[in-house]
Amino acid sequence: MGYTSGIQTESYKPTESQTEWLGIRHLQVFYLFWSVAFMYGMRVCMSVAIVAMSDKSSANPHFHVSTVNFRILSSFFWGYAITQVPGAYLANFMHSPHSFCTVLVHALAVNYGWKSVVALRFFTGLGQGVVFPCVQMLLSKWAPPGERARLGSVVLNSTQFGSVVTMALSGLLSKSVLGWPSIFYFFGACGLVWSLCYFYLGDDSPAVSPRISAAEREYIETSLGGPVYDAHPKIPWRRIFTSMPVWSLIIVHGGNNWGYYLLLTGLPTYMKNILGFDVQNSGMISALPYLVAWLLGFPISWLCDWALRRGFCSTELARKLANSVGMMSPALGMTCLSLLQTQNRYVLVSVLVLSIGLTAATTCGFLINYMDLTPQFAGAIMSVSNIRSTLCVTSKLNDARVVFRCRKTRISGHLVFYLTAGIYAASNLFFVIFGKATIQPWNHINVPSQQTVSRK
């Protein structure tokens, strides 16, 4: 089903029955929450497992060379980048995101050498590359503009929840009787089970949902300005690539991904090698920043929607303020980590927790700005933004691998922090200057003027 949206109707006043606190749109967001959380569980589990796999005191270590570890960690992102553009087209036809379970056989692949693990991580990335374009398309059709920050934040912040649970459980599982292989078996099985569940529970849009009430469907479609049509409009790539607001999203997405993936893949190793925590505690403590980020996402998204409803600021200002909080906080935090003259590792952890925790605000910033610009092609722009940022980050993170190798001094790690802080600040500034929050004219091109809506 293709998506066609008219101009958002800000003057539309829904009835109380239409804005009921628990509707089908909330259930669809709940399903998306778990889909993305399990997806991230399969993505992040390697970050903790690789520490145990490289630990000589582990019951079944296999790899001890840091360059091999980095190849394993980065291989996922090469596969992830390749399926981004195909994901843009799939988002117009197949909107349901499904988790992929190659992670189940990671533990067996180790017996055939590190190259087998690299191959499986690559194929896991291939499978997950289509997910976020589909998520953007689904959110653009299920989340009314007045609830976009809250509903979008619930889904997009599930990456933090997935990271929290994965890092905490992976640290415990690595110390269990089964050792680190149990990490892959557990999260792979979870992904497989939920994929089957979502296949039957998820709906593409309000127009085709057999479960939604007529009142709720009217509320969603009227607030968005139009229903979903039986059309698959051609993606206007030339208009997209010549749009400065789109480029602001591409730039800010790349800057955010640099910092996020650096910490996501390197934080457990940083905790162990530089701050001196053991494998189990490094996984638990590495989860703390993402737990704080997940919890902060709820009040931040509520505050954003509340400010818009009360007319305290425009949508554009709300997006830019939220994004600045979400990206300048880790920039300042990493600068503080480098400048602090303390050997107290708990002080350093506290700075990390607070600065990473506030990154939750980006879900009310650039991450939902795709839907503001073009509800119809949000998935396509997400795919372009994701492939550029993922390729850039993956190719350049190898230059930052000193943060993985460093065991006796923090100096090398601090250089990486300074670089990351600068990237955060510069990319956010670009978004603040060139970003917009109004529907772009090319959102409506290639759309049939009259179509009937197919409903189940």
Side-chain angles (χ1 to χ4, degrees):
M1 298 292 294
Y3 182 80
T4 303
S5 175
I7 299 173
Q8 296 173 9
T9 311
E10 296 182 359
S11 60
Y12 173 68
K13 302 295 182 183
T15 64
E16 183 175 350
S17 63
Q18 290 175 324
T19 56
E20 55 191 347
W21 70 275
L22 182 60
I24 296 300
R25 66 187 183 280
H26 301 107
L27 289 178
Q28 294 301 318
V29 164
F30 177 76
Y31 301 151
L32 284 174
F33 170 89
W34 284 109
S35 296
V36 176
F38 284 130
M39 182 195 75
Y40 251 69
M42 292 185 287
R43 178 186 301 194
V44 175
C45 64
M46 181 60 79
S47 300
V48 178
I50 200 72
V51 179
M53 293 162 69
S54 306
D55 189 355
K56 293 181 179 180
S57 63
S58 175
N60 36 19
H62 282 272
F63 307 117
H64 307 292
V65 182
S66 60
T67 55
V68 172
N69 291 358
F70 180 80
R71 291 176 188 176
I72 293 173
L73 291 171
S74 64
S75 58
F76 170 90
F77 299 107
W78 290 110
Y80 183 75
I82 289 175
T83 49
Q84 289 299 311
V85 172
Y89 290 97
L90 287 174
N92 277 335
F93 295 90
M94 181 194 70
H95 297 139
S96 301
H98 300 291
S99 299
F100 293 78
C101 304
T102 53
V103 72
L104 271 170
V105 291
H106 279 21
L108 298 177
V110 170
N111 296 321
Y112 299 95
W114 64 268
K115 292 182 181 179
S116 299
V117 179
V118 166
L120 279 175
R121 290 300 290 174
F122 175 80
F123 283 112
T124 302
L126 281 178
Q128 292 193 6
V130 302
V131 173
F132 272 112
C134 291
V135 167
Q136 284 285 338
M137 287 297 294
L138 286 164
L139 283 175
S140 71
K141 290 180 296 187
W142 280 103
E147 303 176 22
R148 187 166 287 164
R150 282 168 291 169
L151 298 183
S153 182
V154 168
V155 176
L156 298 172
N157 270 328
S158 62
T159 60
Q160 314 288 4
F161 177 81
S163 300
V164 169
V165 174
T166 301
M167 286 184 171
L169 285 181
S170 295
L172 294 174
L173 289 170
S174 68
K175 291 294 185 180
S176 67
V177 176
L178 295 177
W180 57 258
S182 62
I183 297 174
F184 301 114
Y185 294 134
F186 177 80
F187 289 105
C190 287
L192 176 61
V193 171
W194 182 250
S195 292
L196 296 174
C197 291
Y198 188 80
F199 182 80
Y200 292 103
L201 296 173
D203 292 324
D204 280 356
S205 70
V208 299
S209 173
R211 306 170 180 86
I212 194 171
S213 66
E216 186 181 9
R217 177 186 289 127
E218 180 188 2
Y219 163 53
I220 296 173
E221 292 182 348
T222 306
S223 64
L224 290 173
V228 179
Y229 290 98
D230 282 330
H232 304 291
K234 183 179 178 181
I235 300 174
W237 288 116
R238 186 178 64 83
R239 297 288 193 94
I240 288 174
F241 283 116
T242 55
S243 170
M244 190 56 73
V246 170
W247 276 104
S248 73
L249 286 177
I250 293 174
I251 297 297
V252 76
H253 198 158
N256 181 77
N257 274 15
W258 171 279
Y260 187 81
Y261 287 146
L262 174 70
L263 294 170
L264 190 68
T265 58
L267 198 55
T269 306
Y270 178 82
M271 293 291 183
K272 178 179 181 293
N273 291 345
I274 297 180
L275 299 188
F277 293 100
D278 60 30
V279 175
Q280 179 176 346
N281 286 331
S282 71
M284 296 289 288
I285 295 174
S286 297
L288 281 177
Y290 302 101
L291 174 61
V292 173
W294 179 59
L295 294 174
L296 286 178
F298 296 105
I300 290 174
S301 61
W302 179 88
L303 181 63
C304 185
D305 277 343
W306 176 80
L308 290 175
R309 288 198 310 272
R310 300 297 294 269
F312 290 149
C313 62
S314 65
T315 302
E316 181 177 326
L317 180 59
R319 299 289 183 256
K320 291 179 178 180
L321 285 174
N323 204 74
S324 296
V325 171
M327 295 191 70
M328 293 309 297
S329 296
L332 293 173
M334 291 182 181
T335 302
C336 289
L337 280 175
S338 303
L339 294 176
L340 281 175
Q341 301 297 317
T342 179
Q343 298 298 314
N344 189 326
R345 59 185 182 175
Y346 294 102
V347 172
L348 299 174
V349 168
S350 298
V351 174
L352 269 175
V353 168
L354 180 61
S355 58
I356 296 176
L358 288 171
T359 61
T362 58
T363 58
C364 299
F366 83 91
L367 281 171
I368 60 172
N369 189 233
Y370 294 94
M371 291 174 274
D372 295 326
L373 295 182
T374 171
Q376 182 171 213
F377 302 114
I381 297 180
M382 168 60 80
S383 70
V384 171
S385 179
N386 237 356
I387 190 172
R388 184 266 177 193
S389 59
T390 301
L391 285 175
C392 177
V393 169
T394 306
S395 62
K396 296 300 182 183
L397 273 181
N398 189 47
D399 298 332
R401 65 184 183 273
V402 288
V403 81
F404 304 135
R405 295 202 309 258
C406 185
R407 296 175 182 270
K408 301 299 182 182
T409 177
R410 296 189 177 98
I411 295 177
S412 296
H414 289 171
L415 294 176
V416 175
F417 285 153
Y418 280 131
L419 173 63
T420 304
I423 291 174
Y424 265 129
S427 57
N428 179 70
L429 179 62
F430 195 92
F431 177 72
V432 169
I433 295 173
F434 296 107
K436 300 293 181 183
T438 53
I439 292 182
Q440 300 301 291
W442 41 265
N443 178 71
H444 309 296
I445 69 172
N446 299 326
V447 176
S449 58
Q450 293 183 343
Q451 290 283 348
T452 56
V453 180
S454 172
R455 305 189 190 280
K456 291 184 180 179

